[in-house]
Amino acid sequence: MKNILITGGAGFIGSHVVRLFCTKYPDYKIYNLDKLTYAGNLENLKDVEELANYKFIKGDICDLELMRQIFADYKIDGVIHLAAESHVDRSIKDPFAFAMANVMGTLSLLQAAKEAWAGTMEGKRFHHVSTDEVYGSLHNEEEFFLETTPYDPQSPYSASKASSDHFVRAFGNTYGLPFVLTNCSNNYGPNQFPEKLIPLFINNIRNGKPLPVYGKGENVRDWLYVVDHARAIDTIFHDAKNGETYNVGGFNEWKNIDLIKVMIKTADRILGNPEGYSDKLITYVQDRAGHDLRYAIDATKLNKELGWEPSLQFEEGIEKTIRWYLDNEEWMNNITSGEYEKYYLEMYNNK
Ligand code: NAD
Ligand code: TYD
């Protein structure tokens, strides 16, 4: 595989995957297809945009004709599919947008791949990037999500991702589409849109704004540094057998309120505030509707079969992440001022 289509490459995880592939594989041609929704930001790829093996294409994965054209024009033989609506709170407000992008978008990409690769499936690969949220919510501390855990999505977001996973497997079973599928836990690190817990709270600590903790802050998430997720995608994309599924996670569970306390302590130290200074910002608010209690991934299969393990301890990763957001105030301000999309569209549309 040499001509790789990465969808959603201007988003949080996608930008790290694009960077890894462009720099690690100079003989590949990387096509980053992104609609540049509110979450897409080409500033995430400033250090990559001049590389000879990188090309940005602005487009919507729901546009089947465009997908067909891209497969034909660029002789795409590998796909890493990340484009999606990704925020649970937004899915509660507008589930239709999630069905459209995540289900119909994935379906149109699958259809284009199937048509383009008909009769020549050998050496092709469709890597679908999904979430552990498709497994639903864990209610006792001994349980972990395994690749064999039955799907039980609880939010409109996870229902749309579960549906997209089913379509990927259905295309594998019905048309012989060569696929691999990964279900990853919560990612953290640079470039994440400040609607998600970690970047939102770091930004609010800096600005002395309230930190809205949903419910009692007792929900548990399993956090993985985003570059380790990108490394896992690289390993699985290249080394996994067709039709395999891998769970990706860091064995790193945190109760929200404990994680928030670590963030406050670290940010206050870096900002030169006295210890405990930002504790007063913690504000308990109404819980998220249908809030999943606990996610926890068992990534043993990936470790045993393909040798992947996280490279970064959480303490190191969270410190690095907090420093990145505090150091990159302009990145944050561009996003929160709402002007970056128009600006970057004019800047990069014709590249
Ligand atoms: P993100 O919201 O930061 O980025 C999504 C990207 O997709 C954006 O650049 C956006 O412009 C683009 N996009 C959205 N709709 C599109 C469309 N119709 N056509 C083309 N591009 C479109 O998301 P993320 O957090 O980077 O997540 C990437 C993928 O990884 C998603 O599929 C998500 O479900 C999955 N995932 C995320 C996490 C996490 O913790 N963030 C964990 C596991 C899996
Ligand atoms: P989030 O980053 O939205 O990821 P996900 O819902 O996909 O796990 O939220 C992580 C956890 O933090 C989740 O339990 C919800 C909680 N949360 C808050 O308590 N307050 C907030 O403002 C946000 C955005 C999330």
Side-chain angles (χ1 to χ4, degrees):
M1 291 170 288
K2 287 284 162 68
N3 296 316
I4 314 291
L5 177 66
I6 299 181
T7 70
F12 168 47
I13 302 170
S15 62
H16 292 277
V17 176
V18 167
R19 177 172 301 101
L20 179 66
F21 272 67
C22 282
T23 52
K24 187 169 172 188
Y25 302 107
D27 56 329
Y28 288 7
K29 184 86 192 181
I30 304 299
Y31 298 94
N32 170 17
L33 172 80
D34 200 296
K35 185 181 172 183
L36 298 183
T37 67
Y38 77 95
N41 182 357
L42 288 171
E43 202 175 332
N44 295 343
L45 291 165
K46 264 195 145 104
D47 54 328
V48 169
E49 68 196 19
E50 297 304 333
L51 296 179
N53 66 341
Y54 171 72
K55 183 176 173 59
F56 174 66
I57 305 164
K58 183 175 185 286
D60 187 333
I61 50 168
C62 297
D63 182 346
L64 178 56
E65 278 314 313
L66 176 65
M67 294 309 104
R68 286 177 170 139
Q69 197 190 324
I70 289 171
F71 273 82
D73 287 354
Y74 303 119
K75 302 191 170 38
I76 299 299
D77 44 19
V79 176
I80 302 176
H81 174 38
L82 297 114
E85 289 292 338
S86 67
H87 190 40
V88 174
D89 292 328
R90 284 184 191 251
S91 82
I92 293 169
K93 289 210 176 74
D94 183 8
F96 284 85
F98 283 67
M100 189 52 77
N102 301 359
V103 185
M104 296 310 291
T106 301
L107 184 54
S108 90
L109 203 56
L110 286 165
Q111 179 70 17
K114 176 199 124 188
E115 289 174 8
W117 297 345
T120 60
M121 297 286 189
E122 187 73 29
K124 309 288 196 299
R125 172 144 286 181
F126 189 106
H127 183 148
H128 182 55
V129 177
S130 192
T131 166
D132 62 352
E133 302 190 26
V134 298
Y135 298 124
S137 185
L138 296 168
H139 288 277
N140 82 61
E141 293 190 358
E142 282 81 54
E143 274 185 301
F144 288 86
F145 296 137
L146 291 164
E147 287 79 0
T148 50
T149 301
Y151 275 33
D152 187 20
Q154 299 293 318
S155 73
Y157 165 65
S158 54
S160 70
K161 291 296 293 188
S163 174
S164 70
D165 292 9
H166 290 321
F167 269 110
V168 172
R169 293 198 178 95
F171 268 62
N173 179 61
T174 310
Y175 309 113
L177 191 88
F179 75 90
V180 288
L181 207 157
T182 49
N183 298 95
C184 188
S185 62
N186 286 56
N187 285 213
Y188 71 98
N191 298 347
Q192 190 169 29
F193 195 85
E195 61 187 353
K196 307 273 168 58
L197 178 76
I198 290 184
L200 176 71
F201 276 36
I202 298 169
N203 197 36
N204 285 7
I205 293 168
R206 178 192 15 229
N207 295 321
K209 284 165 66 176
L211 307 175
V213 182
Y214 297 163
K216 294 183 177 151
E218 282 174 356
N219 303 68
V220 173
R221 296 294 181 265
D222 178 352
W223 295 94
L224 180 68
Y225 192 64
V226 63
V227 175
D228 280 327
H229 186 192
R231 287 176 48 250
I233 289 172
D234 176 22
T235 300
I236 294 159
F237 179 75
H238 287 100
D239 300 344
K241 284 201 299 230
N242 281 333
E244 285 291 336
T245 294
Y246 287 93
N247 283 353
V248 187
F251 287 106
N252 180 43
E253 289 178 55
W254 286 84
K255 211 178 252 191
N256 288 342
I257 191 65
D258 295 336
L259 172 65
I260 290 160
K261 285 180 179 161
V262 169
M263 285 197 281
I264 290 176
K265 202 170 168 195
T266 312
D268 274 342
R269 172 168 49 75
I270 296 170
L271 289 166
N273 295 329
E275 188 162 343
Y277 178 77
S278 298
D279 288 350
K280 59 180 184 290
L281 301 177
I282 292 177
T283 310
Y284 291 93
V285 299
Q286 190 181 4
D287 208 354
R288 171 186 281 172
H291 196 170
D292 286 341
L293 182 63
R294 173 171 168 257
Y295 305 143
I297 279 273
D298 183 338
T300 306
K301 178 181 171 188
L302 176 56
N303 177 255
K304 287 241 159 69
E305 292 184 4
L306 302 181
W308 173 91
E309 60 183 4
S311 68
L312 220 57
Q313 291 298 313
F314 183 70
E315 290 65 26
E316 198 186 332
I318 196 73
E319 168 106 19
K320 213 170 152 156
T321 301
I322 292 172
R323 283 190 187 277
W324 189 87
Y325 286 101
L326 295 179
D327 287 347
N328 288 274
E329 203 169 347
E330 199 184 330
W331 180 93
M332 186 64 86
N333 290 343
N334 287 346
I335 284 185
T336 45
S337 72
E339 282 166 10
Y340 81 98
E341 191 184 358
K342 185 168 161 281
Y343 171 72
Y344 277 99
L345 260 184
E346 285 166 6
M347 286 275 288
Y348 296 104
N349 204 9
N350 298 318
K351 182 170 190 293

